[in-house]
Amino acid sequence: MIFYFSGTGNSAWAARQLARLTGDEVYDVTDLNGLPKMDNAKQIGFVFPVYAWGAPEIMEDFAKKLPRPRVFTFGVCTCGGDAGLTMKQFSKLYPLDGSYSLLMPNNYIIGSDTDETGEILQKITAARGELERMAQEIRRQERIYRVHEGALAGVKSRLVNFGFNKFARSAKPFYAGDSCNGCGRCAENCPASAISIRDGKPVWAERCFQCLRCINECPRQAIQYGKVTAGRRRYTIRPYLPRDEQL
Ligand SMILES: Cc1cc2nc3c(=O)[nH]c(=O)nc-3n(C[C@H](O)[C@H](O)[C@H](O)COP(=O)(O)O)c2cc1C
Ligand code: SF4
Ligand code: SF4
């Protein structure tokens, strides 16, 4: 069984590709109604994006509640650069036999512009190869730690991650500009249910997951986050996938 969370599709795609190669069933944690039956689980995997060198809180909360049958476990974090101690810290919540990071296109438009098309395609092609290698190792139930931690991993995953979860998850700076046509897609697709449509325009709650699906996937590119996102490229994996890999 592979459980995943994904904002802009990288982790959803990686989870599905991996499940196809390992023969696992795949579950989006935001679609689950309560905890799944795990009686027949032969192995358990998690796939999620790195947020400020840590796992998304929704994934940590899910893992804390999930039963722990005595089977092989593995986790994959997708990241735009480096993962810090994400997998070591996640493994304290749900012990993992195999831990990996997977380099994928960067969706953090608040921090910097997202990757250019060439780099996106390169990363996805390399990720396909890395997922095949991972799947072979998982099938052999190998205990592997292959995570690109990067520099200052401890500082980033402890201090910066603490600051991110405490202070940087405000949804208040989001707003929709004049090109918004009130289609409602952002509200329907928000995994935190943090957007509602009022008088034909989206309104954001105080806090959210910061998955950045709304700003990256608005069909009219109408959403901004404060002053920093104007003119930056939007990213979602969908336009870069062939038909047989679509989400
Ligand atoms: C709030 C936020 C924080 C992020 N922090 C990091 C980070 O610390 N290191 C990194 O390499 N990528 C970081 N990223 C980039 C994502 O981890 C990366 O693009 C990921 O593959 C997105 O997965 P998704 O499409 O499944 O949401 C961050 C993205 C977001 C939205
Ligand atoms: S998805 Fe974009 S266009 Fe549609 S309601 Fe949201 S902000 Fe407006
Ligand atoms: S408001 Fe936007 S960034 Fe926040 S959880 Fe919802 S879709 Fe993700």
Side-chain angles (χ1 to χ4, degrees):
M1 302 172 89
I2 297 181
F3 300 102
Y4 74 85
F5 172 72
S6 182
T8 54
N10 288 351
S11 310
W13 172 78
R16 289 178 194 199
Q17 293 302 304
L18 202 54
R20 189 176 54 77
L21 295 163
T22 55
D24 279 296
E25 283 175 16
V26 72
Y27 303 87
D28 180 341
V29 296
T30 63
D31 286 344
L32 288 173
N33 244 335
L35 291 175
K37 281 203 165 150
M38 319 236 342
D39 308 346
N40 297 325
K42 295 196 176 68
Q43 56 189 13
I44 295 170
F46 302 89
V47 184
F48 50 82
V50 172
Y51 287 173
W53 300 281
E57 197 175 54
I58 180 177
M59 208 64 204
E60 292 188 346
D61 289 345
F62 174 76
K64 281 183 210 161
K65 287 188 245 150
L66 198 67
R68 297 180 185 188
R70 288 180 171 228
V71 295
F72 184 79
T73 58
F74 60 95
V76 181
C77 64
T78 72
C79 58
D82 47 46
L85 305 183
T86 300
M87 300 313 290
K88 284 180 181 154
Q89 293 188 332
F90 188 83
S91 204
K92 287 183 192 153
L93 302 176
Y94 203 97
L96 299 176
D97 297 310
S99 293
Y100 300 91
S101 63
L102 183 69
L103 187 66
M104 290 294 290
N106 177 32
N107 70 352
Y108 194 55
I109 185 176
I110 294 176
S112 61
D113 208 346
T114 60
D115 299 337
E116 286 180 18
T117 304
E119 192 175 359
I120 291 172
L121 291 171
Q122 251 174 21
K123 282 182 170 178
I124 293 173
T125 302
R128 277 194 193 94
E130 176 58 14
L131 285 165
E132 295 210 359
R133 184 178 170 203
M134 273 179 209
Q136 285 172 10
E137 292 163 349
I138 290 166
R139 278 204 300 264
R140 293 195 293 262
Q141 304 210 333
E142 289 181 28
R143 296 177 67 91
I144 284 179
Y145 182 85
R146 192 160 64 246
V147 176
H148 179 63
E149 293 187 354
L152 298 173
V155 178
K156 287 171 174 170
S157 294
R158 292 191 188 99
L159 276 181
V160 183
N161 183 262
F162 175 82
F164 168 74
N165 280 308
K166 191 130 179 100
F167 306 111
R169 281 179 37 200
S170 170
K172 281 285 156 193
F174 283 119
Y175 67 93
D178 292 342
S179 56
C180 167
N181 64 1
C183 71
R185 181 175 160 159
C186 51
E188 277 160 36
N189 288 346
C190 170
S193 303
I195 307 175
S196 43
I197 302 290
R198 270 183 236 151
D199 301 326
K201 285 268 170 129
V203 178
W204 279 261
E206 286 284 330
R207 263 169 71 83
C208 73
F209 300 157
Q210 290 273 310
C211 76
L212 304 190
R213 187 183 295 171
C214 55
I215 187 167
N216 277 306
E217 296 195 356
C218 166
R220 300 182 69 87
Q221 306 205 348
I223 301 176
Q224 304 294 349
Y225 191 84
K227 292 193 175 133
V228 293
T229 51
R232 287 187 178 165
R233 290 179 288 267
R234 270 49 181 166
Y235 171 75
T236 163
I237 198 171
R238 287 175 182 78
Y240 302 98
L241 296 180
R243 198 178 293 170
D244 60 338
E245 292 182 8
Q246 274 301 332
L247 301 174

